[in-house]
Amino acid sequence: GVIDAVRSRLGFRSGLGALALPALMALTSLAACAPEASPAAQVAVAWSVTPSPPVEGPVKLEFSLRDGAGKALDGADVEVEAGMNHAGMVPELAQATGLGQGRYSAEFELTMGGDWFLIFRGTLTDGTGFEEIEDLRGVAAR
């Protein structure tokens, strides 16, 4: 058959090489049939933190979500992850609360001074996911 002809042409006679070709062909056909991941939504995040400038300790994050046309995105399920830019720190997680008109808030603890990042991760009302990463630099130590 086709596999034998390809084996012969490529010089696969026996052993592992004889098994590798059918396995490779099977994996290739599976990859071709795999469903495409749904695209991430284009979401613009504008945010501010209190206290400003940020200081180690409890902070309140307020932010807005807008689509590519600038329309407010209400009703999204949003989690905010705050992490440090070096290994070994456990990230802080906060579930955001909707305030209406595309505005949200979340509260969490910045456990030490330094540079942090914020990951806004969520799902819009139509089921589309999004993720936006922002820098939160210069958190002052107490």
Side-chain angles (χ1 to χ4, degrees):
V2 173
I3 292 176
D4 291 331
V6 172
R7 278 187 194 146
S8 173
R9 184 167 276 245
L10 294 176
F12 293 125
R13 305 259 186 250
S14 63
L16 290 178
L19 297 174
L21 183 61
L24 181 61
M25 291 175 73
L27 287 173
T28 304
S29 67
L30 284 175
C33 297
E36 266 187 51
S38 60
Q42 294 294 322
V43 175
V45 179
W47 58 275
S48 65
V49 65
T50 304
S52 181
V55 176
E56 176 184 340
V59 296
K60 182 175 184 179
L61 180 69
E62 294 184 346
F63 61 96
S64 64
L65 302 178
R66 303 220 176 264
D67 67 12
K71 179 183 172 221
L73 296 170
D74 276 330
D77 181 23
V78 185
E79 179 181 73
V80 180
E81 177 181 331
M84 294 211 68
N85 291 330
H86 58 79
M89 291 296 297
V90 176
E92 295 290 321
L93 301 174
Q95 187 67 36
T97 301
L99 304 174
Q101 300 176 350
R103 296 177 309 118
Y104 299 82
S105 71
E107 295 182 18
F108 50 88
E109 183 95 10
L110 297 175
T111 55
M112 67 185 299
D115 292 336
W116 290 71
F117 60 86
L118 303 171
I119 302 175
F120 299 85
R121 185 180 296 122
T123 306
L124 302 177
T125 56
D126 67 0
T128 306
F130 70 91
E131 182 174 287
E132 181 71 28
I133 302 172
E134 298 283 335
D135 288 325
L136 176 60
R137 296 190 183 275
V139 174
R142 288 195 186 252

